Amino acid sequence: MTEVLQMTKELSALQKARLNYQPKLPGVLKSGIKNLCVKNGINTTSVADQDDIKEIFQNLYGNPIVTFEQGAACTKEEVLNVGVILSGGQAPGGHNVIAGIFDALKEANTDNKLYGFLCGPSGIIDGDYREITKDYMNEFRNTGGFDIIGSGRTKLESEEQFMKSWNTCQNLNINAVVVIGGDDSNTNAALLAEFFTAKKAGIQVIGVPKTIDGDLKNDQIEISFGFDTATKTYAELIGNIARDANSAKKYWHFIKLMGRSASHVALEAALQTQPNITLISEEVAEKKMSLNKIVNDVADAVAKRAAKGKNFGVALIPEGLIEFIPEMKDMISNLNDTLALIEDDKEYKAANTAELKIQFISKKLEKHNSEVFTSLPQSIQLQLLADRDPHGNVQVSKIETEKLLIEMVEAKLAEMKDYKGKFSSQAHFFGYEGRCAAPSNFDADYCYSLGYNAFALIQADLTGYLSSVKNLTNPAEQWVAGGVPLTMMMNMEKRHGEMKPVIKKALVEIDGPVFKKLQDNRERWAMDDYYIFSGPIQYYGPSEVCDVTTKTLQIENA
Ligand code: FBP
């Protein structure tokens, strides 16, 4: 059995206090798990590629959005066993989702059992699990991390994996599986739900929207959990750095922020801290900005500040920037296809130095892409060649875009005749620092509600649904609980060189109000210093300090 990190018994005062925090529930769920009935909305279609998605999800396609109301129609009399999986990157609040499921399940029937599959989807495939008991659960309430059962990125998609998962569920008499994950993991959840339904296995699958990236959202899912805490953690760190920059007045800090593709994290962090420069990948793509254009713009901003005697500043760079720069996007797509084709190529395998690998790949790429690839520093070339994750994504967290930009901006400044400043830089990458932070009150409440609601969906006999809690900028009492069919969010995308059904990522809308807020202010923030120092997340104190959620959600819901 896989070993999962056990909690240390020594706790800080804050840890002890947080274990006793009682998360809030939406009013409708507070009436109790035995007092709920489901109201069907309209039938749904997928966001794109309807024919392909319908063909793949013959049993699940088209189901309606549902909301919960008070009433006793959903109660299941039989004893239920539920399995839960934490999937993909860590996000603050995962433990509270499990606590919500656990409490709802025990409230429904004390004989109900919750099993945690260990280390991600591989746990259900390999039958690697542990029962989550009351005492074990209580150690993890309101804590950050996924260490209660561990996480992993195994992609559940083959018939063999599904059969093995079914076998595990049969051995444990499991009636339902909850997959807590991002877009890729919930794609897995939908495929598993379709498989179980097609086989008449009698096993339901419910997803829960997790990811610090904030890109698993739509009209029904206002935000994925973890975004609130992670962005507040980064904002604290960025504020500290801005204050250091403004004190020493000698460094430009280039800070890359996690978020894989979408720039929601960078945008939110910018609104919370008001740095001098913020790059937004979606804007780069929309305006078809080349790498040189980006470098020129940044160098211009640096030079203008230098002309005012300010040889310091803070620049935010979204993690996925490189994939949004048109010439890079084209090259990476060509590179992905090439890497998928040469996986077993003897010559490539035999290329045992960095130079040989790069030479080999350059020859395989289309001419214009090869030119882009060879123009990059060797360190970036090698980072681009690193293995894709199991879902076929480039591991952008390993690509040092912040260093690439520093190097190129420095070179550009050296060419600029009027530039008389001094460019001294520091590179940072904030990502892992925020993924396991103790959940903010918002995430603690939201996650607990999502988990409790996931069990309500199970009781309502639904499968292939994502747990949904809405109306999040209002007090929890007024939150709306329900479910969204996973197929509704899907489209077809190329992964590992093949077209696959996947949940469509929600990118930053550059004609939307959140980006506009940045756009309206960034010139002012570039030249003068309007830094905001948000400080650490507060868990106890006045509600306006402890309970407010992100600027993104506030603006979007206004
Ligand atoms: P999820 O989409 O699984 O939530 O993961 C998001 C993320 O945190 C990205 O922001 C980041 O690029 C990636 O995970 C890093 O992955 P890993 O943990 O495998 O290094």
Side-chain angles (χ1 to χ4, degrees):
M1 193 187 266
T2 313
E3 211 175 299
V4 170
L5 185 73
Q6 298 287 323
M7 285 243 329
T8 150
K9 296 292 169 201
E10 270 184 50
L11 301 179
S12 70
L14 182 66
Q15 275 180 293
K16 282 184 201 155
R18 290 309 282 169
L19 289 179
N20 293 317
Y21 175 78
Q22 182 51 54
K24 300 183 193 80
L25 276 177
V28 67
L29 298 184
K30 262 167 65 183
S31 61
I33 201 73
K34 294 183 184 165
N35 191 21
L36 292 173
C37 68
V38 92
K39 187 177 158 215
N40 282 356
I42 47 162
N43 286 354
T44 58
T45 55
S46 62
V47 280
D49 308 313
Q50 286 85 5
D51 291 343
D52 292 322
I53 303 293
K54 195 172 179 181
E55 178 65 27
I56 297 166
F57 295 95
Q58 294 185 9
N59 294 285
L60 297 181
Y61 190 85
N63 280 335
I65 292 169
V66 298
T67 42
F68 285 111
E69 291 181 345
Q70 286 190 9
C74 291
T75 317
K76 280 198 176 193
E77 294 304 328
E78 74 260 37
V79 171
L80 293 176
N81 292 330
V82 175
V84 62
I85 301 171
L86 285 165
S87 182
Q90 285 67 251
H95 290 163
N96 268 28
V97 177
I98 299 182
I101 303 170
F102 181 87
D103 289 351
L105 162 151
K106 291 290 180 190
E107 188 185 320
N109 186 335
T110 48
D111 291 335
N112 287 347
K113 280 190 177 154
L114 182 61
Y115 294 102
F117 291 113
L118 303 184
C119 299
S122 62
I124 190 170
I125 299 170
D126 301 335
D128 217 357
Y129 69 91
R130 68 162 294 154
E131 188 186 340
I132 296 175
T133 57
K134 185 171 169 227
D135 286 347
Y136 190 60
M137 185 68 251
N138 286 346
E139 286 183 39
F140 292 92
R141 289 178 188 268
N142 308 303
T143 58
F146 278 5
D147 37 320
I148 184 169
I149 47 174
S151 186
R153 288 199 186 276
T154 304
K155 177 146 181 65
L156 255 182
E157 62 174 350
S158 71
E159 177 84 9
E160 189 195 347
Q161 290 173 324
F162 291 149
M163 290 301 292
K164 284 185 167 177
S165 305
W166 189 10
N167 189 34
T168 303
C169 290
Q170 281 173 324
N171 289 342
L172 291 170
N173 232 342
I174 278 182
N175 309 84
V177 177
V178 179
V179 178
I180 303 171
D183 48 346
D184 288 327
S185 311
N186 275 298
T187 299
N188 290 349
L191 291 166
L192 190 63
E194 176 67 25
F195 172 84
F196 284 150
T197 312
K199 296 282 182 203
K200 301 193 178 7
I203 304 167
Q204 297 158 250
V205 182
I206 299 295
V208 175
K210 168 236 71 168
T211 178
I212 62 153
D213 300 355
D215 57 3
L216 177 49
K217 63 174 176 179
N218 52 41
D219 290 349
Q220 304 302 320
I221 304 294
E222 291 176 5
I223 193 62
S224 52
F225 80 76
F227 179 75
D228 185 271
T229 311
T231 51
K232 284 174 178 159
T233 307
Y234 304 141
E236 181 204 352
L237 298 175
I238 296 163
N240 293 350
I241 281 188
R243 201 146 229 174
D244 195 290
N246 205 14
S247 306
K249 304 198 191 295
K250 64 175 181 181
Y251 290 128
W252 263 95
H253 293 269
F254 278 50
I255 305 172
K256 183 174 77 167
L257 288 166
M258 237 184 204
R260 198 191 313 269
S261 288
S263 307
H264 298 292
V265 172
L267 181 53
E268 172 63 26
L271 297 181
Q272 286 191 38
T273 60
Q274 306 190 169
N276 306 105
I277 297 174
T278 306
L279 300 177
I280 296 295
S281 306
E282 291 81 345
E283 182 185 24
V284 165
E286 179 74 20
K287 295 187 176 163
K288 300 191 173 32
M289 292 163 76
S290 65
L291 182 56
N292 276 335
K293 161 84 177 132
I294 297 169
V295 169
N296 289 351
D297 287 358
V298 174
D300 265 356
V302 171
K304 279 189 187 142
R305 281 179 65 84
K308 290 178 93 180
K310 295 181 180 195
N311 286 302
F312 66 92
V314 176
L316 302 188
I317 302 148
E319 191 184 42
L321 178 71
I322 198 149
E323 289 194 289
F324 284 74
I325 301 170
E327 73 268 23
M328 294 287 169
K329 184 179 178 198
D330 199 13
M331 182 270 288
I332 290 172
S333 156
N334 192 185
L335 193 59
N336 287 347
D337 291 349
T338 308
L339 288 171
L341 281 175
I342 60 164
E343 218 170 8
D344 299 319
D345 189 290
K346 284 196 188 109
E347 196 186 333
Y348 185 58
K349 280 190 171 163
N352 53 6
T353 65
E355 286 74 16
L356 284 174
K357 272 195 179 359
I358 289 164
Q359 257 177 34
F360 181 89
I361 292 286
S362 313
K363 278 192 266 161
K364 296 273 174 196
L365 294 176
E366 289 165 27
K367 190 165 172 288
H368 65 287
N369 289 326
S370 178
E371 280 164 15
V372 174
F373 184 68
T374 45
S375 72
L376 295 170
Q378 195 191 68
S379 55
I380 303 284
Q381 290 173 328
L382 290 177
Q383 287 155 17
L384 282 166
L385 291 184
D387 287 343
R388 280 23 186 176
D389 79 2
H391 300 270
N393 300 306
V394 176
Q395 299 197 50
V396 277
S397 63
K398 292 188 178 159
I399 300 178
E400 295 173 316
T401 330
E402 69 286 17
K403 293 189 182 157
L404 175 69
L405 286 178
I406 286 176
E407 200 176 297
M408 292 182 77
V409 166
E410 196 161 20
K412 180 74 205 167
L413 290 168
E415 285 170 12
M416 290 165 68
K417 295 206 175 61
D418 311 340
Y419 175 69
K420 300 278 178 283
K422 186 173 174 299
F423 181 71
S424 185
S425 61
Q426 296 287 351
H428 312 263
F429 170 35
F430 297 153
Y432 299 97
E433 292 81 350
R435 296 200 313 183
C436 284
S440 60
N441 287 350
F442 172 83
D443 267 331
D445 297 346
Y446 181 41
C447 291
Y448 186 77
S449 301
L450 285 169
Y452 195 98
N453 185 61
F455 185 75
L457 292 167
I458 294 169
Q459 265 207 156
D461 241 341
L462 295 164
T463 189
Y465 274 77
L466 193 61
S467 176
S468 143
V469 174
K470 297 191 296 185
N471 209 17
L472 295 170
T473 36
N474 285 349
E477 183 65 32
Q478 294 164 29
W479 288 358
V480 174
V484 193
L486 284 162
T487 53
M488 184 186 167
M489 303 172 201
M490 293 202 160
N491 69 164
M492 301 296 289
E493 286 175 23
K494 205 173 204 183
R495 296 291 171 92
H496 289 302
E498 266 180 68
M499 292 308 281
K500 297 263 170 81
V502 283
I503 291 179
K504 193 173 187 312
K505 276 188 200 306
L507 299 178
V508 168
E509 290 174 6
I510 74 153
D511 50 359
V514 188
F515 179 71
K516 188 160 186 320
K517 177 94 182 169
L518 172 74
Q519 208 173 22
D520 290 348
N521 287 289
R522 62 182 166 186
E523 252 177 60
R524 211 163 54 92
W525 299 348
M527 285 311 117
D528 293 308
D529 306 321
Y530 288 96
Y531 307 132
I532 292 179
F533 312 107
S534 53
I537 294 173
Q538 301 294 308
Y539 301 92
Y540 300 98
S543 187
E544 67 274 18
V545 179
C546 304
D547 298 329
V548 274
T549 182
T550 57
K551 305 260 181 211
T552 304
L553 205 48
Q554 287 175 42
I555 296 170
E556 282 175 348
N557 281 9

